[in-house]
Amino acid sequence: MLLFLFITLAIGLILFFDGYKKEMKKGVDKEFCIKSTEKGEKRGATRKKEPSMISRLRIIANKKAGNGAGAEALEKVTGLLKARGIPFEVSVTQRPGHAKELSAEAWERGERELVSLGGDGTISEVVNGLAGRPATLLFVPCGTGNDFVRMMNL
């Protein structure tokens, strides 16, 4: 079950970032614009998409999660990301509460796409570090219980 869940989330990561990379290459947002006399835009017009401030994905990992399953999951995820050419950096937690600090620091540096790799505690800490701040959070559950994943029916 855990292996199936891990593979599903890894595929989701790959698909998310494939779409992300394609959009950044195109640089055009096909959203409908609101008619504005100031900008002279008409409904259906396209506008240039501002390039993202993010140049890489930040992975906040708890290698000790799931009695060492976190270290194995981190190795698999980083291998998949490297194979797809997706830029990333890893921050490994060193103590309780560290994931909260790492996620807050990452957001302050302008990083808006983060991955929480660990158990329920890691997810909780990362969310608390991002509280009230807009960000994209992906997660790779590799704890012993993974209650969050079960509650959310993922």
Side-chain angles (χ1 to χ4, degrees), residues 17 20 52-59 86-90 106 109-114:
F17 280 99
Y20 173 79
S52 174
M53 291 173 44
I54 308 306
S55 59
R56 67 188 173 276
L57 174 67
R58 171 65 58 184
I59 300 172
I86 299 169
F88 65 92
E89 283 195 29
V90 177
R109 285 191 305 271
E111 298 176 11
R112 300 293 186 265
E113 285 94 15
L114 292 92

Side-chain angles (χ1 to χ4, degrees), residues 125-138:
E125 286 185 23
V126 171
V127 166
N128 283 312
L130 296 173
R133 302 170 174 168
T136 300
L137 177 61
L138 306 167

Side-chain angles (χ1 to χ4, degrees), residues 17-29 48-52 84-85:
F17 280 99
D18 274 351
Y20 173 79
K21 284 170 46 178
K22 286 176 187 170
E23 283 300 313
M24 292 312 295
K25 284 180 184 174
K26 281 195 285 187
V28 174
D29 186 356
K48 287 286 182 183
K49 190 176 200 174
E50 293 298 319
S52 174
R84 302 296 275 187

Side-chain angles (χ1 to χ4, degrees), residues 8-150:
T8 303
L9 288 171
I11 291 170
L13 275 172
I14 290 168
L15 293 175
F16 174 81
F17 280 99
D18 274 351
Y20 173 79
K21 284 170 46 178
K22 286 176 187 170
E23 283 300 313
M24 292 312 295
K25 284 180 184 174
K26 281 195 285 187
V28 174
D29 186 356
K30 296 281 185 180
E31 291 178 8
F32 283 108
C33 300
I34 297 171
K35 191 173 182 179
S36 167
T37 54
E38 292 177 8
K39 295 182 182 177
E41 295 175 322
K42 295 182 180 178
R43 192 158 184 70
T46 59
R47 57 183 160 179
K48 287 286 182 183
K49 190 176 200 174
E50 293 298 319
S52 174
M53 291 173 44
I54 308 306
S55 59
R56 67 188 173 276
L57 174 67
R58 171 65 58 184
I59 300 172
I60 298 174
N62 179 357
K63 289 184 173 183
K64 295 179 182 178
N67 297 316
E72 184 180 328
L74 180 60
E75 188 177 314
K76 289 179 182 177
V77 168
T78 56
L80 287 169
L81 294 172
K82 284 178 188 174
R84 302 296 275 187
I86 299 169
F88 65 92
E89 283 195 29
V90 177
S91 297
V92 178
T93 60
Q94 302 299 317
R95 62 188 177 284
H98 196 207
K100 180 179 178 180
E101 295 169 21
L102 292 171
S103 61
E105 289 168 6
W107 195 90
E108 291 297 326
R109 285 191 305 271
E111 298 176 11
R112 300 293 186 265
E113 285 94 15
L114 292 92
V115 174
S116 172
L117 188 145
D120 294 330
T122 308
I123 293 170
S124 176
E125 286 185 23
V126 171
V127 166
N128 283 312
L130 296 173
R133 302 170 174 168
T136 300
L137 177 61
L138 306 167
F139 56 94
V140 178
C142 48
T144 52
N146 296 317
D147 290 330
F148 177 74
V149 173
R150 281 188 297 197

